[in-house]
Amino acid sequence: MRHGILALALLTAAPTIAMAAKPNLGTVAERSGYQQTGRYDEVIALCAAFQQAFPQAVRCFDFGTSPQGRPMKALAVSTSGALTADDARAKGVPVVLAQGGIHAGEIDGKDAGFGLLRDLLQGKVGKGLLDKQVLLFVPVFNVDGHENFKAWNRPNQRGPAEMGFRVTAQRYNLNRDYVKADAPEMQAMLALVNAWDPLATLDLHVTDGAKFRHDISVTGDPVNVGDTALREAGKALKAGIIAKLKTQGSLPVDFYPSFAGYDDPASGFVETAYTPRFSSGYFPLRNRLVMLIETHSWKTYPERVRSTYNAVLDTLELVAQHGRQWRQLELDADTRAAQLAGKPVALDYKTTEEKRIIDFLGYAYKRVPSTISGTDMVVYDERTPQLWMLPLRDTIVPGITVIAPKAGYLVPAEYAAQVGAVLRLHGIEFRTLATSQANAEVESFTADSVKFAAAPSEGHQRTTLTGNWKPASANLVAGALFVPIAQAKARLVMAILEPQAPDSIAAWGGFNNSFERKEYMESYVAEEQARLMLAKDSALQAEFDKQLKDDPEFTKNPMARLDFFARRHPAWDLGYNHYPVLRTGTTY
């Protein structure tokens, strides 16, 4: 019986067996026919109740505390005898992390997960699956957001009647926080991941978007990104989930169904390789599998919970069958990552213009003028199914590619606390230099252009840098950090420390002080110094004259003309636009 949760929702509002009453393993969602979802105190109670009912197979524990003081609950579920991270590692038992409620209004994963746990443990579905793996279930990641609870928190979503909110109490979007890890909740999650090292992570969401008939999308990586050989496992997991969902009555798609043009179905779709601020971009940098499960918001809550339930069950079936093989592929990828020194590594990816036409199950629609917005609006007719023939761009190739350092990165002592804290959160190896290093041969990055974002993002002023690494020498005082590239998380190291990586410390504005002018020359002083410089240097006069001739904008800009001389004067700040982290070919 593969749809026990749906039958429970639609046919009865009471627990099906006596064990569910003592202790009570039923949910508000089930008792309401999936019209409602419970509050967070239900998660706390259910976590304890499952451990009480199945003490040999369930361990309920806190893995963190939210900013508002709520316990962050997780359940380790297995009949293999491995209910701790150490046991799972010692026994070689693969771990599947199912993460619900990272966006707390998208709460399908919580109710689907509890229903699936009960069915697995009572033998209704998936007999023997828990003998071969650990299901590490986080019902609600964003626990404070979950308790920001009301109707209309998800205006594009059909049910439940009330739900949590997208962001945390501190207004962090946790699915933009994986690398920068500002939120205490994310720091707790990374500690959980470091401890358990899941083979695969399921990030359970509900997507917004147009009205169409498909009920669930399955995307993830490594499929288009990361270690090439490991993509074999990512593709197999993704394809396996989709194939199983089809047999269970779902209409899945294997790309995120967001239109290329806003609110325009005719524009088709563009598949994206996500950066590591997202779960689906983060785990491939650790050489681990991740699947983003997105039910469709316009489906009813019972339908969405059913398809989420099935997707998690399907994953467990696939891991039971292939988990040990996939784990070996991950470990092999770890070995290859530790050998990336001096090799090209993609920092990000882009989708080409190549497209193909696909069949997509939509509804009839029309565009009509709106007296509200003053432009055309889309009106869908859900009574009239329609087959859409739409373009899909899904060819993904590397974007920015750089050569990995020969030995690693050097972080000057003055930045060691800041950078070291980030590296520790991700379980990245580094060493602290006990002695100073004079005239160390390094590579230094100087920005040719710096673009600061006009608006904040996640409380940061993001920064885009262009430039190049060039040979240099540096004096490093004791306390500097050496971050070796020869480690399993080498791709993650580069994602954090390469200045042009899209979610690096630099990209999130962590080093913006390095790209701000700190000292200036008064105009009348610059005028005086420029004349003295020209009088002493005929080549400088020729260079100045040429720029006046060739660059009309320069000629018309008094400050640019004075800046020409300021940049060549001994008073110029040599630290300006210099990225503070260095690369090295020497192992420390």
Side-chain angles (χ1 to χ4, degrees):
M1 179 69 176
R2 301 179 62 85
H3 304 301
I5 194 167
L6 183 62
L8 186 62
L10 300 181
L11 299 179
T12 179
T16 58
I17 61 174
M19 181 177 287
K22 291 185 178 181
N24 185 358
L25 304 181
T27 65
V28 168
E30 293 165 338
R31 290 190 292 272
S32 69
Y34 289 88
Q35 300 306 301
Q36 299 175 3
T37 191
R39 301 295 294 268
Y40 193 65
D41 58 359
E42 178 188 49
V43 171
I44 297 172
L46 282 171
C47 191
F50 270 92
Q51 178 173 287
Q52 181 184 350
F54 303 98
Q56 302 304 312
V58 178
R59 184 169 71 90
C60 168
F61 63 98
D62 296 356
F63 68 96
T65 303
S66 76
Q68 291 185 337
R70 295 184 177 90
M72 299 176 69
K73 292 290 186 180
L75 296 90
V77 185
S78 181
T79 50
S80 69
L83 292 181
T84 68
D86 288 343
D87 287 344
R89 191 174 300 108
K91 292 175 178 289
V93 179
V95 177
V96 175
L97 170 59
Q99 173 186 279
I102 188 171
H103 295 149
E106 305 168 27
I107 205 60
D108 304 13
K110 176 190 69 172
D111 289 323
F114 277 124
L116 175 60
L117 283 189
R118 188 182 59 244
D119 289 351
L120 285 167
L121 291 165
Q122 293 179 352
K124 293 182 176 181
V125 297
K127 291 183 179 179
L129 293 183
L130 294 176
D131 295 341
K132 300 177 180 179
Q133 62 200 299
V134 178
L135 174 58
L136 185 61
F137 177 44
V138 175
V140 182
F141 183 3
N142 178 10
V143 298
D144 290 342
H146 187 280
E147 292 305 277
N148 183 359
F149 198 81
K150 64 179 187 293
W152 292 103
N153 270 344
R154 292 276 295 163
N156 308 310
Q157 183 173 297
R158 286 179 173 152
E162 297 177 292
M163 70 288 287
F165 194 57
R166 183 175 183 83
V167 298
T168 71
Q170 296 174 322
R171 297 191 64 79
Y172 285 117
N173 183 338
L174 291 176
N175 206 27
R176 306 295 184 271
D177 198 40
Y178 267 91
V179 170
K180 62 185 178 65
D182 288 330
E185 295 95 332
M186 182 57 73
Q187 294 168 19
M189 177 58 72
L190 292 176
L192 186 74
V193 168
N194 289 336
W196 285 87
D197 190 18
L199 166 85
T201 295
L202 300 178
D203 193 3
L204 307 175
H205 286 253
V206 184
T207 183
D208 293 330
K211 291 183 178 179
F212 46 73
R213 286 178 281 159
H214 295 281
D215 60 327
I216 190 169
S217 69
V218 181
T219 58
D221 274 302
V223 171
N224 297 300
V225 309
D227 184 271
T228 303
L230 186 55
R231 297 179 194 182
E232 172 189 335
K235 291 175 181 177
L237 176 56
K238 178 179 176 179
I241 296 170
I242 289 170
K244 287 175 177 288
L245 284 169
K246 287 179 179 178
T247 69
Q248 296 158 345
S250 279
L251 299 172
V253 291
D254 62 356
F255 58 89
Y256 187 88
S258 178
F259 294 135
Y262 177 71
D263 203 29
D264 181 8
S267 66
F269 303 102
V270 179
E271 188 170 7
T272 301
Y274 290 97
T275 64
R277 74 190 69 171
F278 300 90
S279 65
S280 51
Y282 176 75
F283 285 97
L285 297 180
R286 299 178 70 118
N287 306 313
R288 299 298 181 261
L289 306 177
V290 60
M291 287 293 136
L292 180 67
I293 307 297
E294 295 259 8
T295 56
H296 186 41
S297 61
W298 291 112
K299 296 298 180 181
T300 65
Y301 195 49
E303 292 174 304
R304 299 201 319 266
V305 170
R306 178 190 64 188
S307 52
T308 302
Y309 173 106
N310 285 336
V312 178
L313 176 59
D314 297 341
T315 301
L316 297 178
E317 291 177 345
L318 291 162
V319 169
Q321 184 177 359
H322 304 289
R324 293 190 182 274
Q325 171 197 350
W326 291 346
R327 187 55 161 185
Q328 188 57 54
L329 289 174
E330 291 181 339
L331 296 176
D332 292 345
D334 287 349
T335 300
R336 286 189 292 273
Q339 300 169 349
L340 285 175
K343 297 178 181 178
V345 176
L347 297 182
D348 70 353
Y349 294 82
K350 61 185 179 181
T351 307
T352 71
E353 294 299 318
E354 183 178 346
K355 63 184 67 174
R356 58 190 177 92
I357 302 300
I358 62 167
D359 295 346
F360 194 80
L361 303 177
Y363 294 106
Y365 71 93
K366 57 185 178 181
R367 301 185 70 89
V368 299
S370 169
T371 58
I372 302 298
S373 63
T375 187
D376 286 349
M377 60 177 285
V378 179
V379 177
Y380 294 96
D381 180 4
E382 293 180 78
R383 299 166 300 177
T384 309
Q386 191 176 78
L387 181 65
W388 296 346
M389 307 290 289
L390 299 178
L392 170 64
R393 291 167 47 206
D394 61 352
T395 301
I396 293 173
V397 298
I400 298 172
T401 298
V402 301
I403 302 299
K406 293 180 180 178
Y409 297 88
L410 289 166
V411 181
E414 58 269 29
Y415 293 98
Q418 173 192 352
V419 175
V422 175
L423 300 177
R424 288 186 191 94
L425 286 172
H426 296 282
I428 289 171
E429 302 170 24
F430 64 92
R431 298 190 280 278
T432 302
L433 274 59
T435 59
S436 298
Q437 304 289 325
N439 299 314
E441 293 185 0
V442 298
E443 288 181 295
S444 176
F445 184 94
T446 301
D448 298 327
S449 70
V450 179
K451 184 178 180 181
F452 297 113
S457 175
E458 289 285 293
H460 295 255
Q461 184 185 30
R462 284 183 53 81
T463 305
T464 302
L465 305 175
T466 61
N468 295 284
W469 292 100
K470 295 179 181 178
S473 65
N475 295 320
L476 298 165
V477 302
L481 307 181
F482 171 65
V483 188
I485 197 67
Q487 57 178 297
K489 296 189 181 84
R491 284 187 174 83
L492 183 55
V493 169
M494 295 182 70
I496 291 170
L497 295 181
E498 279 293 328
Q500 293 177 284
D503 285 325
S504 66
I505 295 175
W508 281 105
F511 297 125
N512 277 2
N513 257 345
S514 298
F515 309 108
E516 299 174 10
R517 290 279 293 272
K518 300 298 183 180
E519 187 59 271
Y520 299 87
M521 188 181 291
E522 296 287 355
S523 294
Y524 71 90
V525 177
E527 293 273 6
E528 177 185 86
Q529 290 298 309
R531 285 173 173 78
L532 291 172
M533 293 166 69
L534 289 173
K536 295 177 181 178
D537 190 342
S538 59
L540 181 64
Q541 179 73 68
E543 185 182 356
F544 182 57
D545 291 343
K546 185 176 187 303
Q547 188 143 356
L548 288 172
K549 178 182 177 181
D550 295 345
D551 188 348
E553 293 301 319
F554 174 80
T555 303
K556 294 185 293 185
N557 188 332
M559 295 309 297
R561 293 170 64 151
L562 291 176
D563 195 55
F564 174 91
F565 296 98
R567 289 174 179 272
R568 292 159 176 80
H569 193 274
W572 180 253
D573 177 10
L574 297 179
Y576 174 55
N577 276 358
H578 280 240
Y579 176 61
V581 177
L582 307 166
R583 292 168 33 134
T584 179
T586 302
T587 299
Y588 289 88

